[in-house]
Amino acid sequence: MTALTYTVLTDPAPLEASAAGRQSKSIGTVHLIVTNTARRTDWSAIEVRVPVGDGAGDLTPNVTEIKGTYTENQWGGQAKNREVNIERQQGSNIFRVTPQAGGTASFRPGDYLVLTLGNFTVASTPGPAVLTVREKTEDDDGAHTRFTSVALVKSAPKEIPAPRDFRPDKSLVDTGENLTLSWEGSADLTYEIVFPGGRNTVSGSTWSPPVPTRATTYILVATDPRTQKQHFLTTTVQVRHPVLETLTATVGIDTPWVQGTADATKGRVTFTGTGVRITDNSGGQGTVQAGKADLNGVNTEWVQGRSADDGKITFPKDGINVRQGSGAWGTVHADKADLNGVNTEWVQGRSADDGWITFPKEGLHVHRKDGSKLTHLVVGYATLDIVKTRIVRGLKDDDGWISFRREGLNVHRERGMDRGTLFAADTDLSG
């Protein structure tokens, strides 16, 4: 039986064995409490052998990582650090504690010393590990070397905790803004972020994706490389001015306006209380282009063909004006016109060589191409109050003709001036 009492505590309690294949290792600390429960004891050395290896009975695979420190207190007195030496014997797994001044030091009843072996990698195999203690003391019977053992337990490695708090640094981004996603999670997990159209393997706990152009949901996939167990976290980022490839609305769309492209280089449709307003990219009146328009009514200042030199129709209060692209009076082409009245300066046939009619104050004039008045007015039947003319002739050039003199009329035959014949059933003359 040893003269002193030895008790072991661990931090954490129990120690957690390191998991094979994990990047991070389990780190532990062992506190060996040395106490005196009996009479005064003089001691000269306390040696602790640490089992080294990666098996069930081992404490650590690397004894050189262990840092040895101590704390002690004298029974009934004020806590203080007492000077002792602690060192690992070269090339061994034994830690040796000796009094600072050499020789022996006294352990009075109730005194204790805490030997700390800290910050070492815990062996990867769960199970008990035993520390062997050798103490060297002196009493009235002389010097003594005694041995004892203290045991601790290494528990199986715990499952890697799932990551948490997957979040963007801003939940609403605008065009050109940078975005960073972050989370909290173990470095032993491998991470991949999945998003529409791609996926990206990341290291660390942050990632900056390409700037999204529309509302985007990101999925963080964390995988345990040893067990292949996966954890999934999601987060969504909204875009202030989204760009959509297509939009299908089954109920309707409520919006004050719609504009072509996000960079405001196209026209805009604004929805007013009475209908819609079309504006161009400068805010002025815009242009509607369509193959066909089916409308109940159109209120407009003018209508023109597609080209700048096409004809134009304007709408004054008294009717319509038809103009050429240059602004001069234009031409109306129609198969038929049903009008209550026509006010015009002249009327001509479709060809430029056709005759034409002008309307002077005294009646009408019939003209031919060279501008002179025609002698041929062809009608099937005419009912007139008065006819003023120089001659009347049949339809053919060889027909007879009648000329009008002051004293009456002359009847001629054919083209000459020879007198012709007047045929009548009855003639009633004054003389």
Side-chain angles (χ1 to χ4, degrees):
M1 178 181 292
T2 56
L4 302 173
T5 300
Y6 299 88
T7 305
V8 69
L9 299 175
T10 64
D11 181 18
L15 293 178
E16 181 181 335
S18 296
R22 289 185 185 176
Q23 180 179 348
S24 60
K25 302 299 181 181
S26 176
I27 304 299
T29 296
V30 172
H31 303 285
L32 182 64
I33 295 92
V34 184
T35 60
N36 184 8
T37 61
R39 63 179 184 174
R40 172 179 169 175
T41 300
D42 294 332
W43 64 284
S44 59
I46 298 173
E47 297 174 348
V48 182
R49 187 182 68 83
V50 176
V52 177
D54 213 21
D58 297 320
L59 181 63
T60 179
N62 189 358
V63 71
T64 60
E65 292 180 343
I66 297 178
K67 305 299 180 183
T69 58
Y70 74 94
T71 304
E72 65 173 333
N73 184 40
Q74 187 173 4
W75 176 258
Q78 190 173 14
K80 64 178 182 179
N81 288 334
R82 182 173 295 174
E83 296 295 330
V84 298
N85 292 322
I86 180 170
E87 60 182 356
R88 183 174 65 86
Q89 295 183 354
Q90 186 173 6
S92 73
N93 58 340
I94 297 174
F95 287 84
R96 180 179 175 86
V97 182
T98 58
Q100 179 73 39
T104 61
S106 295
F107 255 105
R108 296 184 299 174
D111 285 354
Y112 68 86
L113 181 148
V114 179
L115 172 63
T116 300
L117 305 176
N119 297 321
F120 57 86
T121 301
V122 182
S124 61
T125 306
V130 179
L131 305 181
T132 302
V133 178
R134 180 173 69 174
E135 68 172 23
K136 293 182 178 182
T137 61
E138 294 181 7
D139 55 23
D140 295 340
D141 297 331
H144 303 278
T145 299
R146 299 181 177 91
F147 296 88
T148 190
S149 298
V150 289
L152 54 87
V153 175
K154 298 169 295 171
S155 64
K158 296 178 182 178
E159 182 180 313
I160 300 175
R164 63 187 184 90
D165 200 16
F166 182 42
R167 64 198 183 277
D169 61 341
K170 54 180 74 74
S171 59
L172 180 65
V173 297
D174 210 339
T175 303
E177 282 189 311
N178 293 326
L179 176 66
T180 300
L181 305 176
S182 60
W183 60 93
E184 296 178 15
S186 172
D188 293 313
L189 298 173
T190 60
Y191 296 99
E192 183 180 45
I193 295 181
V194 181
F195 52 94
R199 57 198 313 131
N200 197 79
T201 301
V202 297
S203 59
S205 58
T206 61
W207 181 62
S208 295
V211 178
T213 58
R214 60 181 180 271
T216 303
T217 296
Y218 299 92
I219 303 174
L220 176 68
V221 182
T223 305
D224 187 330
R226 188 171 64 91
T227 65
Q228 295 303 305
K229 182 177 181 179
Q230 291 185 320
H231 306 276
F232 299 88
L233 295 175
T234 63
T235 189
T236 300
V237 176
Q238 301 293 332
V239 178
R240 190 182 303 277
H241 299 101
V243 177
L244 303 178
E245 295 176 0
T246 183
L247 175 63
T248 301
T250 58
V251 178
I253 299 175
D254 292 332
T255 180
W257 52 266
V258 177
Q259 183 168 343
T261 72
D263 56 1
T265 60
K266 299 293 179 67
R268 174 183 291 192
V269 179
T270 303
F271 299 90
T272 66
T274 58
V276 297
R277 181 187 304 116
I278 311 296
T279 54
D280 58 22
N281 58 358
S282 64
Q285 294 289 337
T287 301
V288 177
Q289 295 178 340
K292 180 180 180 181
D294 186 355
L295 307 170
N296 292 330
V298 177
N299 290 333
T300 182
E301 182 180 352
W302 51 266
V303 177
Q304 187 174 18
R306 293 180 182 272
S307 300
D309 57 353
D310 286 349
K312 177 187 289 188
I313 301 174
T314 59
F315 300 89
K317 290 184 178 181
D318 52 351
I320 62 172
N321 288 339
V322 179
R323 302 283 186 177
Q324 299 177 6
S326 62
W329 287 107
T331 302
V332 177
H333 298 277
D335 183 64
K336 180 180 179 181
D338 186 355
L339 307 170
N340 292 329
V342 176
N343 291 332
T344 181
E345 183 180 351
W346 52 267
V347 177
Q348 186 177 19
R350 292 180 182 272
S351 174
D353 293 337
D354 291 346
W356 48 289
I357 301 172
T358 59
F359 301 90
K361 290 182 179 180
E362 60 273 12
L364 60 85
H365 288 170
V366 180
H367 303 263
R368 62 190 183 194
K369 178 181 177 182
D370 58 8
S372 62
K373 297 174 183 177
L374 289 171
T375 57
H376 294 84
L377 174 62
V378 180
V379 295
Y381 180 83
T383 300
L384 305 169
D385 291 334
I386 297 175
V387 176
K388 290 183 178 182
T389 182
R390 185 169 60 86
I391 65 174
V392 175
R393 167 172 277 165
L395 293 176
K396 298 178 180 180
D397 288 341
D398 291 339
D399 290 346
W401 52 284
I402 301 171
S403 62
F404 297 90
R405 302 166 57 109
R406 288 185 177 181
E407 58 274 14
L409 58 88
N410 288 336
V411 178
H412 303 270
R413 65 178 186 177
E414 298 180 350
R415 300 185 180 185
M417 296 297 294
D418 295 339
R419 295 187 179 276
T421 304
L422 176 64
F423 296 91
D426 188 20
T427 302
D428 187 1
L429 303 172
S430 295

